[in-house]
Amino acid sequence: MRHEDIWRAIDTLAAEHGLSVSALARKAGLDPTSFNLSKRRGADGKLRWPSTESIAKILAATATRMEDFSALITGARVIADTRPRARTRIPLIGLAQAGAEGFFDDGGYPAGAGWDEVELPATMDANAYALSISGSSMEPLYREGDIIVVSPAAPVRVGDRVVARTANGAVMAKQLVRRTASRIELLSLNPAFPELRFSTAELLWMHRIIWASQ
């Protein structure tokens, strides 16, 4: 049983019920930030594990059996009765707007007013969102006017293209090239821009890009 598997199971449980992790925590009577990415590692980079009490509360709040949650830990998706239908209408904002306050909740999920909607390929992630590319920082892979679909529920691995938000509010599309307990390195998609290195505390969240219109 790995740290990342437990947290992925919590993320998946939330998505299976059409909730963000913040909403799942509130539903269970927990602090809304209990499952935020910033709570999954300490300031020193050491792994933090969810408590058995918090897991018990989210299972009770979602009427989920422990064996079903255990299946989620292994990567299965077994909560068929409550799984949301595939969505084709996805919230959309411009990448340049995404760094402003009010567009994402503490867990990095779409929130608040100001989002438009766009018809795109169906996704089962209840919290998926789309960003419209502006400027040249993502060329030649993504050009101005392209739309990328981002899935908070998708596991992120080295080599994936991701959207990340820093603690100072900057939102960027990059490629994850290295990840350790204390450091994250992101490669700029445009070779004219430098590679970026962050401590884990400097990134609020990082979500995988699953589709792009080109």
Side-chain angles (χ1 to χ4, degrees):
M1 187 180 297
R2 299 181 303 172
H3 175 267
E4 63 191 71
D5 295 332
I6 290 284
W7 285 111
R8 186 191 66 242
I10 292 174
D11 292 339
T12 305
L13 180 66
E16 294 276 359
H17 287 84
L19 301 169
S20 67
V21 288
S22 298
L24 175 63
R26 284 194 294 268
K27 184 179 178 71
L30 301 169
D31 184 292
T33 67
S34 297
F35 303 135
N36 286 7
L37 291 182
S38 60
K39 297 295 182 70
R40 303 181 186 190
R41 292 180 184 272
D44 56 1
K46 290 184 178 179
L47 302 180
R48 285 179 174 171
W49 297 72
S51 69
T52 53
E53 180 183 9
S54 64
I55 291 176
K57 286 184 174 181
I58 61 175
L59 296 186
T62 57
T64 301
R65 300 178 305 169
M66 186 62 198
E67 51 264 46
D68 288 340
F69 185 73
S70 297
L72 293 179
I73 293 173
T74 65
R77 299 177 66 95
V78 297
I79 313 174
D81 290 342
T82 57
R83 186 180 303 173
R85 294 181 179 178
R87 301 161 59 230
T88 58
R89 294 181 66 84
I90 298 173
L92 167 73
I93 59 170
L95 183 62
Q97 296 174 267
E101 293 298 324
F103 288 111
F104 295 94
D105 66 14
D106 290 340
Y109 300 95
W115 290 82
D116 201 347
E117 283 193 324
V118 63
E119 289 276 355
L120 290 173
T123 174
M124 292 299 296
D125 184 354
N127 298 298
Y129 57 92
L131 297 173
S132 177
I133 300 299
S134 58
S136 61
S137 64
M138 266 84 48
E139 292 182 355
L141 191 59
Y142 304 132
R143 293 180 167 80
E144 185 157 358
D146 287 346
I147 292 175
I148 57 175
V149 175
V150 185
S151 172
V156 176
R157 303 179 181 88
V158 170
D160 287 341
R161 294 163 189 156
V162 299
V163 170
R165 181 169 185 155
T166 66
N168 64 13
V171 176
M172 61 196 75
K174 303 289 181 182
Q175 183 176 13
L176 177 63
V177 292
R178 188 166 183 263
R179 189 180 203 176
T180 69
S182 60
R183 305 292 297 175
I184 293 174
E185 296 181 13
L186 301 176
L187 180 68
S188 295
L189 303 182
N190 187 332
F193 289 76
E195 183 174 308
L196 300 177
R197 296 176 176 84
F198 300 95
S199 69
T200 53
E202 290 178 303
L203 286 185
L204 295 182
W205 47 259
M206 183 167 56
H207 299 156
R208 197 172 101 202
I209 299 171
I210 60 171
W211 184 87
S213 67
Q214 295 175 301

